[in-house]
Amino acid sequence: MASVFVTRQTPGKALELLQQAGHETRVWPGELPPPPDDLARELREADAALTMVTDRIDEDMLIATPGLRIIANMAVGYDNVSPEIAAKHGVWLTNTPGVLAETTADFSWSIMLSAARNVALSDRDTRNGGWKTWSPTGFLGVDIYRATLGIIGLGEIGEAVARRARGFDMRILYASRTRKPALEERLGVEWASMEDLLAQSDFVSLHVPLNDQTRHLMGSRKFAMMKPGAILVNTARGQVVDQDALVHALKNGTIGGAALDVTDPEPLPVEHPLFSFPQVVITPHIASASLATRSRMADMAAENIIAALAGREPPNPVNRPEAPRAGH
Ligand code: NAP
Ligand code: GLV
């Protein structure tokens, strides 16, 4: 019987699937992630780990866990574990593509609309008794309809965001690692240099993974290139943005606002200057958080574990172990 450590309680039937496959499961009972020492201790006993984006697993931890055969992240992003280092130590790393793009795109749109049209801000004001009358000048926002959207990183989520933009009759620019003629044809998206995209977009939405090439992709130089009044949307990762530069750009009025589902760090301390801007919407990394999607993500992570523990290639690998470990 293999032992699977699950770092948080999950929706869906992941535990059932693992148990039906004959594995013993141990679920971290806390609402907060296991602290690094507890995570390291739990992993030492485990053949597999079902992990979250909040669980950082470094090389020392991998060396100290010779029985661990797979880390199955319940996320599409995997910047919490290095795929190369895991492979070097014989450990599979898997993620959950193909099931969360639509839900995450819905949410990117919801915070973009909220920032553009003061939804969260006016809700807070209304709850605080601020609604005195209909006002011709209150909460004036900017139009999304027929505006220009710039998508940075046209992958699964970027594409789903672009599809929705067509309903708003937007012009859609994109900058990505690879040009995508088929999508240009099908969705009418226009390939643009980063400079042109930033100069022309009323909304800039980030959908790249976090890695050494994308860390602080948006910094002071890029903010200075943005169209005055433009709104930055980030549902990718907090560290894709140089947050001090963002604060500076908001303070100086270089950009008009920001809609952030991800920050650096997470959670963002309540005294952080970003919370002082009325034109900033901040949500707690919940873009994929519908019950159906989070359930499917957890199930997929379990399916990856079941395959790896049976000696098969898991369905969603993001690395290939040089010599897969044999387990305890
Ligand atoms: P994906 O399908 O892999 O798409 C990522 C896209 O970014 C790809 O099109 C990729 O390259 C492009 N890209 C990579 N590096 C780039 C670079 N240096 N410059 C420009 N473009 C680059 O991933 P996804 O499923 O859309 O997810 C994207 C990210 O969103 C995830 O990695 C995760 O961090 C984040 N996410 C957050 C939430 C949340 O709850 N907030 C939920 C899900 C995902 P090509 O152009 O070559 O295709
Ligand atoms: C969530 O942030 C994910 O990467 O799925």
Side-chain angles (χ1 to χ4, degrees):
M1 181 186 280
S3 165
V4 182
F5 179 55
V6 183
T7 65
R8 305 287 272 287
Q9 298 187 37
T10 56
K13 46 184 183 15
L15 291 185
E16 234 174 285
L17 293 172
L18 290 165
Q19 287 155 6
Q20 278 164 9
H23 304 309
E24 177 205 51
T25 53
R26 288 196 323 285
V27 182
W28 179 252
E31 277 193 19
L32 296 178
D37 286 351
D38 295 286
L39 179 60
R41 193 193 58 244
E42 292 288 354
L43 292 182
R44 279 198 288 276
E45 309 296 314
D47 298 282
L50 196 162
T51 52
M52 312 295 141
V53 292
T54 43
D55 302 314
R56 199 150 286 286
I57 300 178
D58 60 18
E59 185 157 21
D60 288 346
M61 272 192 205
L62 289 169
I63 292 168
T65 58
L68 189 72
R69 296 166 66 185
I70 172 168
I71 299 166
N73 234 20
M74 184 185 142
V76 78
Y78 46 86
D79 43 281
N80 53 316
V81 185
S82 157
E84 294 80 21
I85 290 175
K88 180 174 122 190
H89 292 282
V91 180
W92 288 102
L93 175 64
T94 61
N95 72 341
T96 61
V99 295
L100 52 71
E102 303 300 336
T103 302
T104 303
D106 284 349
F107 193 82
S108 298
W109 268 91
S110 75
I111 55 174
M112 183 164 123
L113 286 159
S114 181
R117 297 297 309 280
N118 296 310
V119 178
L121 180 67
S122 62
D123 175 83
R124 278 198 299 278
D125 183 74
T126 304
R127 287 165 196 267
N128 289 332
W131 189 6
K132 307 290 186 221
T133 178
W134 182 87
S135 162
T137 54
F139 298 111
L140 297 180
V142 292
D143 282 322
I144 286 186
Y145 179 68
R146 293 210 167 137
T148 298
L149 170 65
I151 295 177
I152 300 182
L154 194 66
E156 273 201 71
I157 299 168
E159 181 191 333
V161 166
R163 258 188 281 114
R164 285 154 177 75
R166 284 161 59 92
F168 287 83
D169 219 359
M170 293 180 101
R171 179 177 179 215
I172 310 162
L173 307 178
Y174 79 98
S176 208
R177 214 172 31 181
T178 324
R179 187 162 181 177
K180 296 155 201 284
L183 283 184
E184 290 175 25
E185 174 90 10
R186 184 151 52 84
L187 295 178
V189 295
E190 299 170 42
W191 169 256
S193 67
M194 186 66 88
E195 289 71 21
D196 285 347
L197 180 147
L198 294 173
Q200 294 176 33
S201 298
D202 301 291
F203 300 89
V204 173
S205 197
L206 304 177
H207 301 289
V208 291
L210 174 64
N211 55 38
D212 290 343
Q213 286 72 51
T214 60
R215 186 167 284 105
H216 285 196
L217 178 76
M218 290 300 297
S220 48
R221 209 174 58 84
K222 298 248 180 48
F223 287 126
M225 290 178 189
M226 281 173 72
K227 192 169 170 178
I231 291 175
L232 176 77
V233 184
N234 188 7
T235 59
R237 284 289 183 268
Q239 288 174 54
V240 173
V241 173
D242 174 346
Q243 218 163 247
D244 292 341
L246 173 61
V247 168
H248 198 67
L250 288 161
K251 211 178 263 171
N252 292 348
T254 312
I255 68 168
L260 311 170
D261 183 48
V262 286
T263 58
D264 178 20
E266 292 181 8
L268 192 67
V270 284
E271 60 279 5
H272 193 278
L274 276 176
F275 282 111
S276 66
F277 298 105
Q279 73 275 35
V280 172
V281 173
I282 300 176
T283 52
H285 200 148
I286 56 169
S288 68
S290 74
L291 177 60
T293 292
R294 286 277 173 88
S295 301
R296 188 67 199 113
M297 289 162 69
D299 296 355
M300 273 177 94
E303 286 154 8
N304 280 306
I305 289 174
I306 290 165
L309 292 181
R312 297 193 304 272
E313 175 171 336
N316 312 106
V318 293
N319 73 353
R320 184 159 300 276
E322 287 162 23
R325 287 174 169 177
H328 280 106

